[in-house]
Amino acid sequence: MQQKIDPNRIRTDLNTQARIQTDTSTVEEYVEAMLRGDEFPPIVVFHDLDSDLLVLVDGFHRLEAHMRAKPGEEIDVIIKEETLSEARWASFTVNATHGLKRSTADKRRIIAEALRHEKGLKMSDRQIAGHVGVDKNTVASVRRELEAGGEIHHHENRQGNGFLHTFSPNNCFTQGKNTPPFEVYCTLECGGDYSEAAKRLANGGYTCQAQVDLSAFKVSVNSDTSDTMKNIIPGVEVLRQVKNDLFSGIMPVLWQGGFGELARIEMAPQRILIFGGAPGSGKTTLVMQLAFDALFMNPRLKLIVANVEMSPAVLMEKQLARISGIEHNIIKNRFFNDSQRERLQQAVADMTEVMERVTFVLPPIDLRIVQQAMETRGGDLIVLDYLQRIPCSLLASAKDMRLEMNQTMNALRVLADQGRCLLCCSSISRPQSGKPKNGYGKETLTLSSFKESGEIEFGADDCFGVCLPEAQCPSGYVTTIKHLKSRYGVHRDFELFFDVPHQSFHDAPNFTTITTTKELTYDTKHAKYTEAFTGDECDSNEEADEF
């Protein structure tokens, strides 16, 4: 089906690029041709229904050239409803007869990937060669290299009469010296269909030398339809995948959302990050800053925001305060002067560049609605604020909060496994004794402070606690971000300065708390302020209990 779609929806990072790398000169040539008005064939995209991903198979050079020559314009595509596995298998045939000629290195990489593919495991050298468009002797050479390295299973085989002949002492069929054991033949040539294997061997002139229990071969280890084998993967296959990933030359996807200490917060596909803190600690401000700065710094990223407490307009005003360097109270009460108006207009212009990639979900909110937003608008980065108020379904019962949170975390893992990164705010339990503030400090805030902490601890990849300091003031203060859990790396606590009037976090100064006396200019391109903070120390905590 041919149609026009937003090129930013198309995934190019899922190992469907058969070439070792994109050719820069070819892209530049295509850009010039497109600017002249030359027409190009539509690119080919596979739609994986399970993950709802649009995966590019044919047209990597054309897609990159289109995005450079016609930014913001939709691109002509042919969409095929197939799985991601089928997309990768189809990618091995690309450019065999058209487009930029494949290099020798490209061909050998394609052959290797085809031999490792679940379909290629069942095929002979001649069949692989016919699929990818190369000579079968080249396939045999690459196969030997992979077998020697232990990357694929070794079979002493040769192609003849349409059958794969394997020499083994455990034969049950014979025809001269060509003696295929039934199990191997059934698995490799007939996809595990034992009756078809027996029929083919009989038609091929083979005679049975022993009674064969065909029921023993009803389930093939390579059968795509075997329910018993879907959740099993050999260790050697895991090692192969890791090895290919390590030496592919492709860096892991990481969406940066700031510099300095903020860069310690790693946002990446398939991650769930949870931020907990007391009311007014700034956890929503921190999460929204990370999300929007990631948009500024990653031009293809798309964001979905689901907030049960604040309206999209309020969230937007806070971002404008941060970017313009004008206090939020001034913006909220519309007290800005002419100079500030100009700065606000510039901030609005900066925000306009990314807002086409942002979607807000309005209350009442559940994960089903968030999923629908992702399917219709696209979303790589998802903000959920806050977890305890966003159920799996609006019809779900809230009688057992722990059970409901467990269901929510399971649902979030499904979304994350589809390639999304989730930034979630969580409420924390009130202190049982002493001053309320003391239960939210860096000495007492722990992972168990999170409400339904067991479910959160199990389901999250990273957990951060936004602590309240002993000394605060309305103009800002230094706060500790406790890295309470890290599934993929070393966790270390760090400090940030929370500029309350401008609703922003950044690296902390060398003093505890300050009063800001200088308006700031925010550089959206580099996600940082261009002027330093200056101010007087503020030690009182009496004036900042509420802000």
Side-chain angles (χ1 to χ4, degrees):
M1 177 175 63
Q2 183 170 339
Q3 58 182 282
K4 287 182 177 290
I5 65 172
D6 179 358
N8 290 300
R9 294 178 56 195
I10 302 172
R11 298 291 295 270
T12 61
D13 58 343
L14 296 174
N15 197 28
T16 55
Q17 163 65 295
R19 298 182 188 278
I20 293 178
Q21 62 183 8
T22 302
D23 184 72
T24 305
S25 61
T26 299
V27 173
E28 293 174 351
E29 179 183 335
Y30 286 1
V31 169
E32 293 178 1
M34 290 179 182
L35 292 174
R36 288 196 308 265
D38 293 359
E39 296 291 333
F40 282 76
I43 62 176
V44 179
V45 173
F46 277 36
H47 180 206
D48 180 24
L49 295 177
D50 290 337
S51 61
D52 196 29
L53 294 176
L54 294 174
V55 185
L56 181 60
V57 171
D58 186 358
F60 282 81
H61 291 87
R62 280 170 282 163
L63 176 62
E64 184 173 339
H66 175 91
M67 298 184 72
R68 289 171 54 181
K70 303 177 180 180
E73 292 188 22
E74 294 185 330
I75 187 171
D76 289 319
V77 301
I78 295 175
I79 297 182
K80 300 181 179 181
E81 303 289 348
E82 296 286 356
T83 64
L84 180 57
S85 176
E86 290 291 345
R88 289 172 175 157
W89 183 249
S91 72
F92 304 146
T93 68
V94 174
N95 297 131
T97 59
H98 72 278
L100 180 65
K101 185 177 180 181
R102 299 180 299 188
S103 67
T104 301
D106 289 337
K107 293 178 181 178
R108 295 185 73 83
R109 180 184 184 279
I110 293 168
I111 294 169
E113 290 298 321
L115 287 168
R116 298 185 187 108
H117 194 276
E118 57 185 350
K119 286 192 172 183
L121 293 174
K122 307 173 186 178
M123 291 186 173
S124 65
D125 294 346
R126 188 186 301 276
Q127 290 169 321
I128 294 288
H131 180 67
V132 303
V134 296
D135 184 84
K136 69 180 183 69
N137 292 329
T138 307
V139 177
S141 173
V142 175
R143 185 191 292 274
R144 286 193 295 270
E145 293 176 7
L146 297 181
E147 289 177 346
E151 296 188 41
I152 62 174
H153 186 65
H154 173 66
H155 291 291
E156 296 180 17
N157 57 49
R158 67 180 179 86
Q159 184 71 23
N161 300 326
F163 295 109
L164 178 66
H165 302 303
T166 306
F167 300 93
S168 166
N170 300 318
N171 296 310
C172 46
F173 288 89
T174 61
Q175 186 193 52
K177 64 179 181 180
N178 297 329
T179 54
F182 185 78
E183 181 177 12
V184 174
Y185 181 87
C186 173
T187 299
L188 297 182
E189 289 295 300
C190 302
D193 188 337
Y194 61 93
S195 59
E196 176 65 18
K199 178 181 178 180
R200 288 189 189 182
L201 289 170
N203 292 339
Y206 292 90
T207 56
C208 182
Q209 301 299 311
Q211 183 66 35
V212 181
D213 181 10
L214 298 183
S215 64
F217 307 108
K218 285 186 177 180
V219 178
S220 164
V221 294
N222 288 325
S223 174
D224 294 334
T225 60
S226 172
D227 291 336
T228 60
M229 306 302 292
K230 284 182 178 179
N231 295 329
I232 297 175
I233 181 170
V236 67
E237 174 63 15
V238 176
L239 179 60
R240 182 194 68 78
Q241 293 174 2
V242 172
K243 175 185 175 183
N244 291 342
D245 189 40
L246 285 174
F247 302 110
S248 66
I250 301 174
M251 299 299 293
V253 177
L254 186 65
W255 298 314
Q256 189 172 353
F259 291 91
E261 295 288 12
L262 284 168
R264 298 184 60 81
I265 301 175
E266 294 187 352
M267 294 179 288
Q270 300 184 328
R271 297 280 183 93
I272 300 175
L273 285 69
I274 299 184
F275 299 77
S281 62
K283 57 183 181 294
T284 296
T285 299
L286 177 59
V287 166
M288 291 297 290
Q289 176 174 331
L290 290 168
F292 271 89
D293 279 351
L295 289 180
F296 285 122
M297 300 167 71
N298 302 274
R300 288 192 175 189
L301 203 62
K302 292 187 177 182
L303 170 67
I304 290 178
V305 178
N307 187 303
V308 299
E309 293 186 311
M310 298 185 194
S311 69
V314 171
L315 295 172
M316 189 63 59
E317 286 181 356
K318 289 175 177 285
Q319 291 304 307
L320 292 174
R322 183 172 71 90
I323 293 172
S324 67
I326 301 171
E327 292 186 12
H328 179 237
N329 278 337
I330 294 176
I331 296 175
K332 179 179 66 176
N333 296 308
R334 311 300 190 257
F335 290 156
F336 43 82
N337 56 35
D338 290 342
S339 174
Q340 292 168 334
R341 180 187 295 273
E342 292 181 2
R343 294 171 63 181
L344 270 175
Q345 290 173 339
Q346 181 58 53
V348 169
D350 290 340
M351 289 291 287
T352 301
E353 296 182 3
V354 301
M355 290 312 298
E356 290 185 356
R357 295 183 277 126
V358 180
T359 301
F360 288 93
V361 180
L362 302 177
I365 300 171
D366 64 17
L367 291 182
R368 176 184 56 84
I369 299 173
V370 174
Q371 175 73 28
Q372 290 175 350
M374 287 187 289
E375 292 173 352
T376 57
R377 295 278 295 171
D380 310 289
L381 199 59
I382 316 298
V383 170
L384 301 176
D385 191 0
Y386 60 97
L387 281 181
Q388 287 77 8
R389 292 277 304 278
I390 302 179
C392 289
S393 170
L394 294 176
L395 300 178
S397 172
K399 292 181 179 180
D400 189 337
M401 192 62 189
R402 294 183 67 89
L403 176 60
E404 183 174 322
M405 182 55 62
N406 184 60
Q407 294 173 342
T408 295
M409 295 305 298
N410 288 338
L412 295 189
R413 178 52 59 190
V414 173
L415 297 181
D417 289 344
Q418 294 173 357
R420 277 91 178 197
C421 177
L422 294 107
L423 305 180
C424 310
C425 291
S426 169
S427 61
I428 62 176
S429 301
R430 293 183 180 275
Q432 298 299 316
S433 61
K435 294 182 179 180
K437 175 182 306 183
N438 295 339
Y440 303 137
K442 63 180 180 180
E443 302 300 328
T444 52
L445 184 59
T446 66
L447 197 57
S448 62
S449 301
F450 288 53
K451 286 187 177 179
E452 282 65 57
S453 59
E455 286 68 28
I456 289 177
E457 179 181 1
F458 177 77
D461 297 307
D462 287 271
C463 289
F464 299 90
V466 184
C467 303
L468 284 178
E470 291 297 323
Q472 313 172 39
C473 61
S475 56
Y477 53 84
V478 174
T479 183
T480 299
I481 308 297
K482 298 192 71 173
H483 198 174
L484 300 168
K485 177 188 177 181
S486 177
R487 178 166 283 159
Y488 297 106
V490 178
H491 48 91
R492 176 179 69 81
D493 299 347
F494 54 95
E495 291 186 337
L496 294 174
F497 180 79
F498 182 19
D499 174 17
V500 178
H502 300 99
Q503 292 291 290
S504 67
F505 283 86
H506 57 86
D507 280 1
N510 293 325
F511 37 86
T512 306
T513 53
I514 64 173
T515 301
T516 303
T517 61
K518 190 173 187 178
E519 287 190 329
L520 309 172
T521 301
Y522 193 72
D523 180 357
T524 55
K525 182 177 180 180
H526 298 95
K528 61 183 179 181
Y529 290 96
T530 57
E531 295 178 342
F533 280 86
T534 62
D536 301 320
E537 292 190 6
C538 173
D539 296 322
S540 172
N541 60 10
E542 299 298 328
E543 55 183 322
D545 286 338
E546 298 293 337
F547 41 81

